[in-house]
Amino acid sequence: FRPSARAAGAEVQMTLLASELARRGFRVGLVVYPIPARGTGLDPRITLVERKEHAGSTGPVRTLLEAVRVMRALRGADGRVVVVRSGAPVVGLIGLYCRLWRRRLVFSSANNLDFLERWSRRARTYAFGVRSADAVVVQSEEQEALARRRFPHVRRLVRIPSFAVEPRPVEPGPPGAFYWVGRLVDYKRPHLYAELAATIPEAPFVLIPLRRPDDAAGQAALEQLGSVAVGVSNLELRDSVPHAALVEELASAVALVNTSSFEGMPNTFLEAWSQGVPVLTLSFDPDGVIRKRGLGVAADGSWERFVEGARQLWEGRFEREELAQRTRGYVRETHSVESVGARWQALLETVGGFRRSATPAPRASSGAPPASAGRTPFRMRRRRG
């Protein structure tokens, strides 16, 4: 957790889940890396349990130290149910902890990549953790199919959509530019966005990377992309911006563009749709929802359709009231905090082996005191980066 940087999608979803469970009356803790100060946007009812940073060691020594740090943090949190959202080997360590201390484990997927086969020893550690889970949560029908193929003997497989927070009302200006927002990793293919910008020189394109100050790989990728963008006059590279400012800026976008090979349900999709902004995607369309619900343009991997979709969205940017109603309606129907939170509550109550009848606190009372110590706690480990 880095208050100075925009959190990754998995971190955003875990924070929203923690806040909603706290509002519903549960004691909730987040296991986090050391932070200088508590984030102002974090629900005060949530307990933060810090774990140590990675050491400079490598190989077996690093693995052993990491195991000790994870175990200590989880013992300090001591929750009856542990929720983890990460495709990393640490899932195996958490699975081992839950077996040793007889805790319940819920694995929550963040990306379709979480269920694609990998053959390294680190991947086997991760797979052990997923197989140990009392429940696996997926975001889409596609992820559910991938999970059943990769982990056919998982105990409980549940599909729960991602959270989408209703944005603060803003008065957007006229649609002015296309936007690409994401981490600069290979599978997100930001270079294809630069190619799209070069293909449509009459339209402005903005690329905002999501990276941390200590992300050396991201910095190198940004510099490489910058050298490409020099020859594309209508492409603007920006620094990362605070989350709230970015969501407001998206309200005036022509479209949010996605060039990834793999995703889960990107928070940026939900943020754009909440603002009435369509999504233009080259390859990824979760369960075909963009095509089926008319939430933008899905090119199904066709570069020609991708370019043509961009031209259509640019030419029709001032006449999209009906489209905006569809995107906002879809988010309210499928991804509202209330409905998604209720599904998570039902699952965790079942996994934890108890029932409650408490009425959720009003959302406006985010500054309410912590829930009583007698209620069952959930502990959630957030992915870093």
Side-chain angles (χ1 to χ4, degrees):
F1 179 75
R2 304 293 188 206
S4 61
R6 190 185 191 277
E11 294 175 324
V12 170
Q13 288 297 315
M14 290 293 272
T15 302
L16 291 171
L17 174 58
S19 297
E20 180 61 11
L21 290 176
R23 186 185 74 86
R24 290 171 178 270
F26 297 113
R27 288 174 54 224
V28 182
L30 283 172
V31 176
V32 298
Y33 285 87
I35 56 177
R38 188 184 183 102
T40 55
L42 195 60
D43 194 311
R45 293 169 289 197
I46 298 172
T47 300
L48 296 183
V49 181
E50 290 192 356
R51 53 144 297 174
K52 289 186 177 181
E53 288 272 14
H54 292 296
S57 55
T58 59
V61 174
R62 179 188 176 103
T63 301
L64 179 60
L65 290 174
E66 178 69 358
V68 171
R69 293 188 181 105
V70 170
M71 296 290 182
R72 283 179 176 173
L74 292 172
R75 282 300 293 156
D78 196 27
R80 183 187 299 185
V81 180
V82 179
V83 182
V84 59
R85 190 180 180 97
S86 171
V90 71
V91 177
L93 299 178
I94 296 172
L96 178 61
Y97 162 82
C98 289
R99 284 196 178 186
L100 292 175
W101 274 274
R102 297 183 180 180
R103 299 298 188 257
R104 301 297 186 183
L105 173 62
V106 175
F107 173 74
S108 176
S109 63
N111 193 301
N112 291 4
L113 286 170
D114 292 342
F115 302 116
L116 297 182
E117 189 68 64
R118 304 164 191 173
W119 295 103
S120 69
R121 181 173 301 175
R122 287 164 57 85
R124 291 199 293 271
T125 304
Y126 156 76
F128 164 77
V130 178
R131 293 189 184 100
S132 301
D134 296 275
V136 172
V137 175
V138 296
Q139 302 163 293
S140 64
E141 293 179 4
E142 183 180 6
Q143 278 188 6
E144 184 175 354
L146 289 171
R148 290 192 187 282
R149 274 201 302 270
R150 176 78 193 278
F151 303 107
H153 302 299
V154 69
R155 300 176 199 177
R156 181 183 284 110
L157 188 60
V158 182
R159 181 152 43 97
I160 302 179
S162 296
F163 286 99
V165 177
E166 187 172 345
R168 187 174 66 86
V170 296
E171 196 63 44
F178 290 93
Y179 277 74
W180 188 102
V181 182
R183 292 184 297 126
L184 299 180
V185 293
D186 289 345
Y187 70 84
K188 289 186 180 287
R189 305 185 296 185
H191 64 281
L192 293 179
Y193 183 68
E195 289 185 29
L196 178 66
T199 304
I200 309 178
E202 66 272 21
F205 288 75
V206 176
L207 187 149
I208 301 179
L210 304 182
R211 61 186 185 88
R212 292 191 171 88
D214 59 350
D215 181 7
Q219 179 60 34
L222 182 61
E223 292 173 0
Q224 183 179 11
L225 191 61
S227 64
V228 174
V230 168
V232 186
S233 60
N234 60 324
L235 175 59
E236 178 186 359
L237 299 186
R238 299 256 194 95
D239 287 330
S240 294
V241 298
H243 180 229
L246 174 59
V247 172
E248 291 189 10
E249 191 170 340
L250 280 179
S252 299
V254 174
L256 176 76
V257 181
N258 183 280
T259 53
S260 294
S261 302
F262 305 99
E263 291 281 3
M265 171 53 82
N267 288 323
T268 50
F269 280 25
L270 301 177
E271 290 159 356
W273 288 332
S274 295
Q275 297 280 19
V277 173
V279 168
L280 168 65
T281 176
L282 175 57
S283 302
F284 179 76
D285 183 3
D287 290 344
V289 69
I290 297 174
R291 176 179 52 82
K292 294 174 185 176
R293 302 289 294 263
L295 307 180
V297 177
D300 297 322
S302 167
W303 180 258
E304 291 74 18
R305 284 201 292 270
F306 188 54
V307 173
E308 179 59 27
R311 293 191 190 281
Q312 291 174 359
L313 290 170
W314 173 250
E315 293 168 0
R317 65 192 182 279
F318 299 119
E319 300 176 358
R320 63 182 197 193
E321 181 177 346
E322 184 179 337
L323 186 151
Q325 291 177 353
R326 288 198 301 272
T327 64
R328 293 190 179 105
Y330 166 74
V331 172
R332 285 194 299 269
E333 174 189 323
T334 308
H335 298 277
S336 71
V337 173
E338 185 66 39
S339 64
V340 176
R343 293 169 75 166
W344 267 104
Q345 178 178 345
L347 171 64
L348 294 174
E349 286 178 344
T350 300
V351 170
F354 66 97
R355 287 282 181 262
R356 295 174 60 253
S357 58
T359 302
R363 293 192 196 285
S365 61
S366 59
S372 73
R375 290 178 180 164
T376 301
F378 296 107
R379 296 300 180 224
M380 295 183 281
R381 192 181 190 286
R382 293 167 46 168
R383 181 167 77 176
R384 184 190 186 201

